[in-house]
């Protein structure tokens, strides 16, 4: 804490420092530092063990893979096998984010700045409770309730906007397609993004808000000029949390989507895309040996993607350092 | 100072909550015998056998057998209360591997061992005979959901055309010719298949290869060969997908067909609806694979049979075991359990729980001689 | 709020002029007002849109699950239950979920809190920066990757095909640690520096200051954070499907053999689908598996809700008022 200021530090301070880094104090500091280092070790371990277990598949030739794994396509290698899965994962998550982020910001604003105070708290509870609904329940709900409801809507989309490649028809019936998955994923990540954004919105300094209002700003202008800029990094980190969940979401995709392995933007047609996570869960129970190894290799790809996404986000957002309520 | 007062209260309350929660969990009495309380005594077999066996028996393999296996395990365990039978539905391939490696005492498999595996399995069985017993026979129904149509008659080339995507509309002449009485709408045909690797798919494609001729250009495989289709995980997934759309058609274990329309399949000159009896019949009409051991009943299923009243789309799943084990207790357990599976009670239990077709008496006689031969080296 | 905007006009020389200013400040030109209204509608609609699926989920689970949700269901396992029998419950799954989650909590809470302490109280320099960075990265680890990691870890040391409860705990703790770190970090940062300085001034060593002053002040917030983290991981399905497997009997031993957990139970029951019920003599319910799936889902949601509400209450009633 005071390494740089050792020379000109007052005497009292130096005395405390001298006695401070001994015995229990030292042990405590080392333990805490060790815990911090352990986080890095865990993350490294995740990568290392995944690589170890994926290695047989990575080092095996494509013929070996195709021969010993029944679901491995002929004349493909590991990269051409993972490629479409990566594409499907990104497409699904991107669509989900497109739907969820604006909606979540709206909801968070509603709770933090529009709803009456007393109601706001209750609404906050509701959203929080829904943030914790297990993904398997969303999967059940998506497969049984949502699919039939959205089918006519997709039908309409494909017939009116079919010239856009994304909505190319014919719309599948039943609607076990990527757009349905994206809608359910959006619902799933909505509460998380909302909860985090709301917390950030509520932390907007009251003075900033009142200053904006005092300058004659409307409520929306106050939000745009005071709340949103203050919360921008919070919103991004909230979205990242949501994106992490969407990228890795398994059960809902597994239970809703008709999988396929193509580089296809047709999100209204069945059997076009598949995500990495759902593919792992689908094949894993009956995989053995090289099959498990290949699935772990795809998991490694997912891990790398999420790492990259998060790192990119971190690079964009300079982390707000001085967040201490005391300062 | 006020804070301190508050804080000590927190920790006290926190501890109280934690202890309370723990106590609640510990005192909550759980039971590992749900059946005894709820629906006891539904096994007539319990009285006929003497409870002489004990220990635990481990098997693994095909998930298609899981529902039946649950019934068999429960039935056998209630007859032999000191026995625990475990069955791990890890898939046919994994089951065969585990069995050959000696990790399990028996295996369930949707496919017979191939030539290479037979050699390994004989080594695992102390150079003795390998038992391949076709004791789980399940008809696969071709199910569809089409408004206004309850029953369809189709021949193999038409079914192949539909599933290969060549026939795209329900009022296609190929379908209409065979169903003059039905009013077929111009709805688009949506074929639905299994998305996971499965014995059901393998048996269904085997049927298409054998019976449909040129209309089915793909090879038989546990993975669906056509891409860009509607598909779902597991039998229940397929059933639900077919149910969820209009104009859908799929294939699934007949036991789960529920209220959906089912296709009568053309065999010889007549159309045969699926039934357990018709499924058992095709098994009886099939030949054993040549050149295997005396207790090996691996079948060459007659998919293209023209025998009257036989339903050719069936899934036959085998129980793999050894004729010789090192350990007397293990041998007794395997013998007892497979004996129960082959018995009329066992077959009745799986028919009730999983909708399988009970094996014929002729097959039972054969299988029983093999099971009776199980012993130690 | 309008009161605050209008009030600071004391120094106006003439009263009618101040009225004019007040009026100008209060009335907004129509374009801006229309935009304000439009955004208000957008925000309200956003909320309404979100509420539809939420109500739908809650209603579906409740209406489908309530039928089988009773004491028998909660206190019995699935051992020996097959077909359409009117029997079977989730006791084994509750045991599994409880133990595995507890294991994950025991692993991740000390690590998480210590890491947060390190970041807030000690962390300077490149190690702290990279820890902060990678904790953020870790929040984005997909749950299935965490499951694969636990599988790979045990496969390397114990050979492939192994599965036991503790693997699930480890997978879940990978997901839980960053959540605990982040929430604890935020809470520790909220502790006013004055408290620390007062403690130092009294000659209290730093570690004792952290334990007795900083941590105790932040206790409520930390407990809330931990409970929310537990609620977050208790519903994870995919990692447990991979590591812990399925079983139909009660297994109390976290270190030996498979365990059932509630989310996996829901998925298993769902994927078993309808029961044929060919035997007219026995009691047989065709949709029993779906009923059990919904009832288990209801149980799971109730557990998560209780955890959330408790967490809320803790933070509401026990946290020191800082603002």
């Amino acid at each position: 804490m005071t390494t740089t200021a050792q020379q000109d530090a007052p005497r009292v301070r130096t005395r405390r420092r001298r006695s401070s880094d001994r015995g229990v104090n030292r042990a405590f500091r080392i333990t805490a530092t060790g815990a911090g280092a352990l986080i890095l070790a865990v993350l490294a371990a995740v990568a290392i063990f995944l690589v170890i277990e994926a290695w047989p598949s990575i080092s095996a030739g494509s013929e070996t893979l195709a021969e010993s794994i029944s679901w491995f396509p002929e004349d493909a290698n590991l990269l051409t096998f993972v490629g479409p899965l990566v594409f499907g994962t990104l497409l699904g998550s991107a669509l989900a984010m497109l739907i969820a982020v604006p909606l979540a910001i709206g909801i968070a604003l509603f709770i933090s700045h529009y709803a009456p105070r007393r109601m706001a708290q209750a609404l906050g509870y509701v959203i929080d409770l829904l943030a914790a609904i297990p993904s398997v329940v969303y999967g059940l709900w998506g497969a049984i309730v949502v699919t039939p409801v959205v089918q006519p809507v997709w039908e309409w989309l494909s017939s009116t906007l079919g010239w856009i490649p994304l909505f190319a028809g014919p719309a599948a019936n039943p609607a076990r397609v990527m757009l349905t998955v994206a809608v359910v994923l959006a619902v799933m990540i909505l509460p998380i993004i909302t909860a985090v954004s709301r917390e950030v919105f509520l932390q907007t300094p009251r003075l900033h808000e009142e200053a904006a209002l005092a300058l004659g700003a409307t409520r929306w202008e106050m939000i745009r000029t005071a709340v949103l800029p203050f919360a921008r990094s919070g919103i991004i980190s909230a979205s990242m949390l949501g994106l992490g969940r969407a990228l890795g979401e398994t059960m809902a995709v597994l239970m809703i989507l008709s999988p396929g392995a193509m580089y296809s933007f047709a999100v209204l047609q069945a059997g076009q895309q598949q995500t990495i996570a759902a593919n792992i869960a689908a094949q894993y129970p009956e995989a053995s040996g090289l099959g498990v190894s290949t699935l772990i290799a795809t998991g490694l790809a997912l891990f790398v993607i999420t790492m990259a996404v998060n790192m990119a986000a971190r690079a964009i957002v300079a982390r707000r350092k001085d967040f201490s309520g005391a300062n | 100072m006020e804070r301190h007062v508050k804080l000590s209260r927190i920790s006290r309350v926190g501890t109280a909550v934690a202890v309370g929660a723990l106590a609640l969990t510990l005192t909550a009495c759980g039971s590992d015998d749900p059946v005894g309380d709820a629906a006891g005594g539904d096994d007539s077999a319990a009285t006929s056998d003497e409870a002489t066996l004990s220990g635990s028996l481990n098997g693994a393999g095909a998930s298609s057998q899981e529902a039946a296996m649950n019934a068999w395990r429960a039935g056998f365990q209630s007859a032999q209360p000191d026995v625990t039978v475990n069955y791990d539905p890890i898939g046919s391939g994994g089951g065969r591997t585990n069995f050959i490696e000696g990790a399990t005492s028996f295996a369930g498999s949707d496919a017979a061992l191939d030539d290479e595996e037979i050699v390994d399995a004989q080594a695992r069985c102390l150079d003795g005979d390998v038992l391949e017993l076709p004791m789980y026979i399940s008809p696969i129904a071709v199910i569809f959901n089409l408004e206004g149509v309850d029953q369809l008659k189709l021949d193999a080339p038409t079914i192949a055309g539909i599933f290969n995507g060549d026939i795209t509309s329900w009022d296609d002449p190929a379908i209409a010719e065979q169903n003059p009485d039905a009013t077929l709408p111009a709805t688009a045909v949506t074929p639905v298949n299994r998305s996971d690797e499965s014995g059901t798919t393998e048996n269904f494609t085997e049927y298409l290869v054998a019976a449909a001729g040129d209309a089915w250009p793909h090879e038989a495989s546990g993975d669906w060969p056509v891409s860009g289709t509607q598909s779902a995980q597991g039998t229940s997934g397929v059933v639900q997908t077919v149910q969820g759309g209009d104009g859908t058609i799929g294939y699934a274990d007949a036991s789960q067909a529920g209220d959906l329309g089912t296709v009568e399949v053309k065999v010889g000159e007549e159309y045969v609806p699926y039934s357990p009896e018709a499924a058992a019949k095709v098994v009886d009409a099939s030949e054993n694979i040549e050149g295997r051991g005396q207790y090996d009943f691996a079948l060459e299923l007659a998919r293209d049979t023209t025998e009257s009243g036989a339903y050719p789309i069936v899934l036959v799943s085998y129980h793999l075991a050894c004729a010789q084990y090192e350990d007397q207790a293990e041998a007794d357990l395997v013998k007892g359990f497979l004996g129960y599976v082959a018995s009329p009670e066992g077959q009745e239990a799986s028919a009730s729980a999983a909708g399988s077709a009970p094996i014929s008496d002729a097959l039972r006689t054969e299988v029983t001689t093999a099971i009776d031969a199980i012993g130690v080296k | 709020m309008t009161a605050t905007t209008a009030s600071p006009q004391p120094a106006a020389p003439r009263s009618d002029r101040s009225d004019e200013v007040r009026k100008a400040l209060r009335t907004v030109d129509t374009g801006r007002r229309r935009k304000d209204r439009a955004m208000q509608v957008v925000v309200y609609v956003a909320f309404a849109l979100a509420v539809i699926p939420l109500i739908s989920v809650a209603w579906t689970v409740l209406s489908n699950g309530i039928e089988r949700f009773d004491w028998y269901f909660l206190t019995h396992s699935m051992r020996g239950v097959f077909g359409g029998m009117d029997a079977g419950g989730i006791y084994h799954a509750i045991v599994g979920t409880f133990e595995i989650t507890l294991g994950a909590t025991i692993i991740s809470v000390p690590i998480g809190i210590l890491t947060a302490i390190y970041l807030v109280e000690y962390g300077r320099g490149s190690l702290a920066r990279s820890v902060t960075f990678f904790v953020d990265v870790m929040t984005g680890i997909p749950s299935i990757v965490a499951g694969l990691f636990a599988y790979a870890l045990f496969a390397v040391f114990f050979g492939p095909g192994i599965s036991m409860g503790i693997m699930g705990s480890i997978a879940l703790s990978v997901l839980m640690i960053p959540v605990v770190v982040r929430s604890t970090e935020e809470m520790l940062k909220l502790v006013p520096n004055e408290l620390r300085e007062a403690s130092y001034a009294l000659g209290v060593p730093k570690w004792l200051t952290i334990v007795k002053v900083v941590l105790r002040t932040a206790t409520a917030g930390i407990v809330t954070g931990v409970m929310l983290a537990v609620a977050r991981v208790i519903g994870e399905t995919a990692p447990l499907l991979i590591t812990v497997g399925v079983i139909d009997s009660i297994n109390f031993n976290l270190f030996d053999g498979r365990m059932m957990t509630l989310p996996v139970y829901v998925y298993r029951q769902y994927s078993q689908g309808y029961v044929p019920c060919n035997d007219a003599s026995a009691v047989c319910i065709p949709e029993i598996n779906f009923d059990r799936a919904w009832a288990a889902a209801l149980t799971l949601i109730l557990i998560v809700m209780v955890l959330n509400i408790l967490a809320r209450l803790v933070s509401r009633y026990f946290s020191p008022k800082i603002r």
Side-chain angles (χ1 to χ4, degrees), chain B residues 46-335:
Chain B
T47 48
S48 62
D49 281 291
E50 282 174 43
T52 52
L53 297 171
S54 65
S56 76
L57 175 65
N58 294 316
S63 48
S64 58
Q65 288 193 30
E66 194 185 357
M69 197 59 86
N70 285 342
W72 290 326
R73 285 166 54 212
F76 188 63
Q77 283 171 174
S78 69
Q80 307 280 354
D82 296 334
V83 175
T84 304
V85 183
N86 298 310
Y87 184 77
D88 219 348
I90 56 171
S92 300
R96 291 198 297 270
T97 312
N98 280 6
F99 173 69
I100 288 168
E101 284 170 354
T104 52
S105 305
F106 73 97
S109 172
D110 291 341
L113 296 166
D114 61 27
D115 295 339
E116 210 173 294
E117 286 170 330
I118 273 282
V119 177
D120 294 338
Q122 277 166 349
R124 182 254 186 269
C125 291
L126 313 171
D127 295 322
D129 277 306
V130 181
L131 274 59
E132 292 193 78
L133 313 171
M135 295 198 290
Y136 178 74
I137 300 165
S138 169
I140 298 170
V142 179
I143 50 178
F144 64 92
N145 189 12
L146 182 61
E147 217 176 305
V149 182
D150 301 324
Q151 195 58 256
L152 274 179
K153 295 175 169 33
L154 296 174
D155 59 12
T158 315
I159 296 176
I162 288 173
F163 278 95
N164 196 35
D166 300 329
I167 297 173
T168 53
S169 172
W170 280 106
D171 56 359
D172 192 281
I175 302 173
E177 265 171 32
Q178 298 178 62
N179 298 281
D181 303 336
T183 44
L184 295 164
T187 316
V189 176
T190 308
V192 181
N193 58 270
R194 288 279 291 267
S195 60
D196 48 338
E197 184 196 6
S198 78
T200 313
T201 304
E202 185 155 13
N203 281 279
F204 184 62
T205 49
E206 268 174 18
Y207 161 74
L208 292 177
V209 168
D214 296 338
W216 185 250
H218 310 280
E219 282 176 31
S221 138
D223 286 291
W224 190 248
V226 186
S227 63
T229 54
Q230 281 277 5
S231 60
Q233 179 92 356
T235 297
S236 65
V238 169
V239 171
Q240 234 166 46
T241 307
V242 171
Q243 235 157 14
D246 186 26
T248 46
I249 180 166
Y251 58 93
D253 290 355
S255 60
Q256 304 230 354
D259 303 334
L260 289 165
T262 52
V263 170
E264 292 179 18
V265 177
K266 190 175 190 183
V267 178
E269 287 310 309
E270 55 180 357
Y271 290 92
V272 184
Y274 85 86
S275 69
E277 297 74 32
K281 209 164 188 171
V282 76
V283 174
D284 287 342
S286 304
E287 302 275 321
N288 286 348
I289 296 173
E290 295 283 321
R292 299 228 172 174
Q294 55 175 330
Y295 301 132
D296 194 323
F297 300 105
L299 293 170
E300 190 78 67
L301 277 172
R303 306 279 186 194
D304 50 356
T305 185
T306 51
E307 183 160 319
S308 167
Y311 184 80
I313 319 177
V314 292
L315 168 93
V316 172
S317 197
Y318 298 91
H319 290 77
L320 309 183
C322 289
Q324 290 173 335
Y325 289 92
E326 271 175 357
D327 182 35
Q328 181 70 47
E330 188 183 7
D332 287 345
L333 281 171
V334 174
K335 192 172 177 174

Side-chain angles (χ1 to χ4, degrees), chain C residues 288-317:
Chain C
I288 182 88
N289 289 330
F290 289 108
D291 289 351
R292 284 197 284 248
W294 286 116
L298 179 63
T299 315
L300 190 54
I301 288 181
L302 285 178
I303 291 176
V304 173
M305 275 190 170
V306 166
L307 275 171
N308 271 282
I309 291 170
L310 279 180
R312 280 275 161 184
L313 292 179
V314 166
S315 87
R316 181 162 173 187
Y317 289 111

Side-chain angles (χ1 to χ4, degrees), chain A residues 99-150:
Chain A
I99 302 170
V101 172
L103 212 53
I105 293 174
I107 299 162
L109 281 178
F110 176 78
I111 294 172
S112 66
H113 287 85
Y114 283 86
R117 280 280 140 189
R118 239 174 282 135
M119 229 172 99
Q121 198 140 41
L123 295 174
Y125 290 157
V126 171
I127 301 281
D128 273 2
L129 293 178
L130 288 154
I133 286 185
S135 57
V136 69
V137 178
Y138 278 115
L140 270 182
W141 174 74
I144 294 172
V145 180
V146 178
T147 313
V149 172
V150 295

Side-chain angles (χ1 to χ4, degrees), chain A residues 38-320:
Chain A
L38 188 65
I39 301 266
L40 301 185
V42 166
L43 209 61
V46 171
I48 291 167
F49 281 102
L50 288 184
V51 169
I52 290 177
E53 283 297 305
W55 189 251
S57 171
I58 297 171
S59 58
S62 49
E63 294 86 20
T64 327
L65 287 177
E67 202 173 287
S68 49
I69 306 169
S70 65
W71 38 261
F72 200 86
E74 303 277 330
D75 53 69
N77 61 34
L78 198 57
L79 278 183
T80 53
F81 173 70
V82 176
L85 294 177
V86 172
F87 174 80
T89 308
L90 294 178
L91 181 67
S93 307
L95 285 173
M97 295 292 283
L98 226 55
I99 302 170
V101 172
L103 212 53
I105 293 174
I107 299 162
L109 281 178
F110 176 78
I111 294 172
S112 66
H113 287 85
Y114 283 86
R117 280 280 140 189
R118 239 174 282 135
M119 229 172 99
Q121 198 140 41
L123 295 174
Y125 290 157
V126 171
I127 301 281
D128 273 2
L129 293 178
L130 288 154
I133 286 185
S135 57
V136 69
V137 178
Y138 278 115
L140 270 182
W141 174 74
I144 294 172
V145 180
V146 178
T147 313
V149 172
V150 295
Q151 208 281 328
V153 183
W154 293 174
E155 197 92 62
W156 175 83
L157 260 184
S158 73
S159 61
T160 48
L161 296 171
W163 47 273
I164 303 173
L166 207 59
F167 300 128
N173 181 8
R176 298 167 53 83
V177 295
M178 198 46 116
L179 196 57
T180 314
V181 170
V183 167
V184 175
L185 282 183
V187 173
M188 293 179 67
I189 60 179
L190 199 58
I192 292 179
I193 305 178
T194 307
V196 179
S197 318
R198 187 196 67 211
E199 288 303 317
V200 181
F201 291 159
L202 285 174
Q203 280 164 8
T204 313
R206 181 62 48 85
L207 278 176
H208 293 195
E209 292 177 18
E210 282 174 2
L213 291 173
L215 289 172
T218 60
R219 180 147 59 174
W220 167 244
E221 284 162 348
M222 179 270 284
I223 287 169
R224 213 190 56 209
T225 53
V227 179
L228 290 183
F230 174 82
R232 195 173 52 214
S233 63
I235 293 173
I236 293 182
S237 94
S239 308
M240 284 302 132
L241 272 177
L243 181 61
R245 200 166 172 188
L247 282 172
E249 177 44 43
T250 314
M251 304 317 291
V253 185
L254 183 66
M255 289 156 100
I256 297 170
L257 186 65
S258 282
M262 296 184 223
Y263 293 102
S264 163
F265 280 103
V267 293
L268 295 179
Q269 291 176 29
Q272 306 291 309
Q273 308 93 354
Q274 168 72 317
T275 71
I276 295 177
N279 185 57
I280 294 173
Q283 307 289 2
Y284 194 89
E286 304 212 347
S288 58
L290 214 49
V292 172
S293 183
T294 305
L295 292 180
I296 292 181
T298 63
L300 190 63
L302 180 60
F303 179 62
V304 171
I305 293 170
T306 47
M307 291 276 279
V309 166
N310 275 287
M311 286 181 174
R314 286 294 128 200
I316 296 166
V317 186
R319 195 169 145 70
R320 281 180 307 154

Side-chain angles (χ1 to χ4, degrees), chain A residues 325-326, chain B residues 3, chain C residues 187-192 195 217-218 319-323:
Chain B
R3 248 179 219 127
Chain C
M187 288 308 142
L188 294 184
K189 280 176 176 171
L190 286 176
V191 176
L195 280 186
T217 312
S319 58
K321 304 286 175 285
I322 283 172
R323 277 235 237 181

